[in-house]
Amino acid sequence: MRHATPLLTLAVFMLISSASAAERLTSFEVVARGAYRVTDGEKTTGTTEAGEVLTVLVTDQDKVWVQSTRGIKGWLERGAVTSLADAEAIYSQLIRAHPRNPVHYERRALIWLHSGQTDKLLADYDQAVRLGSKNPMVYVNRGIQLATQGEFDKAIADYDMAQRLGVAEPYLFVNRGVAQLAAGRADKAVEDFTAAIERGEKSASIYLNRAAAYAEAHEEIKAIDDLAEAIRLEPKNVAAHHQRGMVWQAMENWDKALADFEQALRLDPKHIPSFSSRGFLWFQRQEPAKAIADFDRVIQLNPKAAVAYNNRGYNRQLLKKYEEALADYDAAIRLAPNYVLAHQNKAWLLATCPEASIRDGKQGLVSARTACELGQWKHWPDLKTLAAACAEAGDFAQAVQWQTKVLEMAPEDERVEERKVLEAYKASKPWRDVP
């Protein structure tokens, strides 16, 4: 771009679905109140334990047919069990009586799992682990919760332990692959998704997952192959067409990218990610009017889409619609006050616009400093914007100071342009950004 500032944001949408082991627990519906006899109608098939989680398979008036994780099956009096949601008192009593038994904490955690009380769930799983639990599902389910909270390294450690304890089903590798990808380890994610496929996971989502990992690892051709397989399995999968379009886009194969985005939109005329990605593609092809039309559509479908306002604003700026561009940056900031790029764009426009009626050095300084603060003063485009705002405000000494810092931080291929800007400030000339 003209002044080496990344003024548009391309939102990345990757379909990553995890086969959560927690979902397997939804069928465990009741808890045994104590030790009760289970029968097949004639003879005893076993005895329940207090606090044992049972699956109800059949109900018949005052009886339920249950199955336990220990393999016990049969009829049980309905009064011998209670719902999981009402079982807290049972587990609290068992924990008071046997505080060193990890099983009671493991089972009570299921209450918190189903009621969404994550802090209590993690506390019970943590205590079960401290007490030496060797139940692999404790580690699987704790890993899922930790991943949900962004604790990816801890989640991966739990999935590793579950594998050591014998879990080898595809869902474990899917979940760990998702965590690996989120933690920035695309190569490890590829290994896990491949392991899931080798173990029989053949859904479209697994190929979407692995494609996302391949794309992150810059192995775009392999990503394209996986996305083609996902589309073969589910031809009407909107996300698969969109994701493949984004890979083509990263490869600068505009025609194929456009074809996939348009197919996604034929399948779902309100698919926001495809409008957003196509809008960015039009920008890349230097067709700002078409980009604006797509970002218009994103905003119509989601009036709170701050990124779309920012992106529309920059394309309006390219068309010299400066007032409209400024209004879009302001809208983006109202929706997302910590949106660095919108503050940066606003500051640059206020500092460098060719039209004097738009320029405002004082307000430009406010926006530029906000961008720098939000970016922790680590990014040279933010500092470049601050230098431009200082120059517009007449403080050329500060402009030279900040632009000198920019020159130190900018990539080698940007420094020729940045030296020109620095020389302008040394000559007490503000910079003008002419599209």
Side-chain angles (χ1 to χ4, degrees):
M1 287 186 207
R2 193 161 288 100
H3 44 82
T5 305
L7 290 175
L8 270 83
T9 301
L10 176 57
V12 178
F13 295 85
M14 296 183 296
L15 179 64
I16 301 178
S17 61
S18 60
S20 167
E23 293 173 359
R24 292 169 167 248
L25 300 176
T26 57
S27 61
F28 290 84
E29 297 172 342
V30 296
V31 174
R33 295 180 182 275
Y36 290 92
R37 191 166 65 97
V38 181
T39 74
D40 63 4
E42 296 180 359
K43 62 177 187 268
T44 299
T45 58
T47 304
T48 63
E49 299 174 356
E52 187 171 9
V53 181
L54 306 167
T55 305
V56 175
L57 301 177
V58 180
T59 62
D60 182 16
Q61 296 180 350
D62 59 349
K63 295 184 297 182
V64 289
W65 183 277
V66 299
Q67 178 176 317
S68 77
T69 56
R70 295 182 292 134
I72 297 172
K73 296 180 182 180
W75 292 108
L76 191 61
E77 296 296 325
R78 190 184 292 270
V81 298
T82 187
S83 69
L84 191 60
D86 294 328
E88 182 179 354
I90 294 173
Y91 291 123
S92 296
Q93 183 178 354
L94 288 168
I95 287 169
R96 284 194 298 271
H98 308 283
R100 306 294 299 172
N101 188 338
V103 171
H104 303 316
Y105 295 95
E106 296 170 11
R107 290 172 173 172
R108 187 172 67 176
L110 299 180
I111 298 175
W112 317 133
L113 177 65
H114 287 284
S115 61
Q117 298 183 67
T118 303
D119 290 344
K120 290 183 178 181
L121 179 144
L122 288 174
D124 271 353
Y125 278 148
D126 288 347
Q127 183 62 8
V129 169
R130 281 192 290 269
L131 293 171
S133 174
K134 292 297 184 287
N135 181 346
M137 300 314 298
V138 167
Y139 293 93
V140 171
N141 286 329
R142 188 174 69 168
I144 291 167
Q145 297 303 319
L146 290 168
T148 300
Q149 295 184 350
E151 298 277 359
F152 301 114
D153 288 338
K154 291 180 179 179
I156 291 165
D158 272 352
Y159 296 142
D160 289 346
M161 178 59 77
Q163 186 180 11
R164 288 196 291 273
L165 290 170
V167 179
E169 285 84 359
Y171 70 78
L172 176 70
F173 297 93
V174 175
N175 282 342
R176 190 169 64 186
V178 170
Q180 295 281 18
L181 185 55
R185 303 185 189 97
D187 55 339
K188 293 292 186 181
V190 167
E191 290 177 10
D192 274 330
F193 295 140
T194 300
I197 291 169
E198 290 171 348
R199 285 163 172 78
E201 176 59 53
K202 303 295 184 182
S203 65
S205 65
I206 189 63
Y207 289 101
L208 285 165
N209 281 326
R210 193 170 67 172
Y214 276 136
E216 190 68 19
H218 304 293
E219 295 191 66
E220 287 86 359
I221 298 303
K222 291 181 179 179
I224 291 293
D225 288 342
D226 271 357
L227 290 163
E229 178 62 11
I231 290 168
R232 185 189 70 79
L233 291 167
E234 294 184 8
K236 295 184 179 180
N237 188 316
V238 176
H241 288 283
H242 172 249
Q243 190 167 325
R244 188 171 66 177
M246 293 191 70
V247 178
W248 288 127
Q249 190 171 18
M251 297 169 69
E252 298 187 359
N253 192 324
W254 312 128
D255 291 341
K256 289 186 176 180
L258 185 60
D260 268 331
F261 295 148
E262 292 183 345
Q263 176 61 15
L265 289 168
R266 280 191 289 272
L267 292 168
D268 179 2
K270 295 183 178 181
H271 192 241
I272 291 176
S274 292
F275 279 115
S276 183
S277 296
R278 192 175 67 178
F280 195 88
L281 185 149
W282 293 129
F283 160 75
Q284 291 172 301
R285 288 176 48 153
Q286 301 180 15
E287 299 187 63
K290 291 182 179 179
I292 289 168
D294 274 347
F295 293 129
D296 281 344
R297 189 69 178 123
V298 173
I299 291 166
Q300 289 168 6
L301 292 167
N302 178 14
K304 295 184 178 180
V307 170
Y309 280 103
N310 176 74
N311 289 353
R312 187 176 70 177
Y314 189 68
N315 281 280
R316 282 175 162 174
Q317 188 172 336
L318 292 175
L319 293 177
K320 301 183 181 181
K321 297 180 178 182
Y322 300 120
E323 289 187 8
E324 293 178 7
L326 189 59
D328 272 345
Y329 297 147
D330 284 337
I333 291 167
R334 282 195 301 273
L335 290 165
N338 294 332
Y339 189 0
V340 178
L341 205 51
H343 287 286
Q344 185 195 114
N345 286 347
K346 179 180 177 180
W348 185 261
L349 180 59
L350 291 172
T352 68
C353 184
E355 289 188 8
S357 62
I358 299 295
R359 292 197 305 273
D360 186 331
K362 183 177 179 180
Q363 287 301 313
L365 276 170
V366 171
S367 293
R369 287 189 179 279
T370 300
C372 290
E373 289 166 1
L374 290 170
Q376 300 181 330
W377 303 85
K378 294 180 180 179
H379 307 292
W380 68 270
D382 296 338
L383 302 183
K384 175 174 179 171
T385 301
L386 179 59
C390 288
E392 178 59 26
D395 189 344
F396 289 100
Q398 284 290 302
V400 168
Q401 177 182 321
W402 289 117
Q403 187 62 22
T404 300
K405 185 69 172 175
V406 168
L407 200 57
E408 295 170 0
M409 297 170 65
E412 186 67 34
D413 61 352
E414 303 287 356
R415 292 180 183 173
V416 172
E417 178 72 9
E418 299 313 320
R419 286 192 185 94
K420 292 179 183 177
V421 178
L422 179 60
E423 292 305 314
Y425 297 157
K426 286 180 177 179
S428 299
K429 295 180 180 179
W431 191 253
R432 293 292 172 259
D433 186 30
V434 181

